[in-house]
Amino acid sequence: MKLLSFFSMLFFSVNANAAFSCEVDVKRVLVYGNGTVNILHSGRNDYTIICNTKGTWKNIDTVTCSLWVGLLQNIQNNNGKAVFYFAENGNCATLPTYGNSYAPQYIGSVG
């Protein structure tokens, strides 16, 4: 009985924070003078901040941010698709924008 209760609690606690991913076309990659990286993609059709190249933003460090910028520019230049994965509840169409944006857990290319 204890084992069943444990697995039930584990199952429901994992589902309470449903993560989501977006496979999108990258329309714009903007890097501002202050280091903020703002992305326009087909999943939201509005700008969402993903990181900052000059300092840690929502636990995303500058090295990761710079790598993401290069990856996203390459995807955009080659008319590819990107995948963004978020640990929060939601979906691509309702992603918070600008300063309220969620930090991605990962970004990759869809091959």
Side-chain angles (χ1 to χ4, degrees):
M1 184 66 172
K2 287 182 184 182
L3 189 57
L4 179 61
S5 295
F6 171 76
F7 283 116
S8 295
M9 289 174 57
L10 181 62
F11 175 75
F12 288 113
S13 66
V14 169
N15 286 333
N17 190 17
F20 67 99
S21 64
C22 307
E23 281 189 26
V24 299
D25 296 314
V26 178
K27 297 179 178 182
R28 302 278 186 274
V29 178
L30 304 178
V31 182
Y32 294 94
N34 68 0
T36 300
V37 180
N38 216 355
I39 306 298
L40 177 65
H41 59 73
S42 62
R44 178 64 172 105
N45 288 318
D46 202 348
Y47 286 92
T48 57
I49 294 172
I50 60 165
C51 60
N52 190 298
T53 60
K54 290 187 176 182
T56 299
W57 178 82
K58 297 187 180 183
N59 293 321
I60 308 299
D61 64 36
T62 59
V63 173
T64 301
C65 185
S66 297
L67 291 168
W68 283 353
V69 169
L71 174 67
L72 290 168
Q73 287 174 328
N74 186 50
I75 290 168
Q76 180 185 21
N77 290 341
N78 291 297
N79 296 315
K81 291 205 178 281
V83 60
F84 293 83
Y85 178 83
F86 300 95
E88 289 79 10
N89 291 319
N91 61 60
C92 303
T94 62
L95 274 170
T97 57
Y98 297 92
N100 295 321
S101 301
Y102 297 148
Q105 297 299 300
Y106 69 77
I107 297 173
S109 62
V110 178

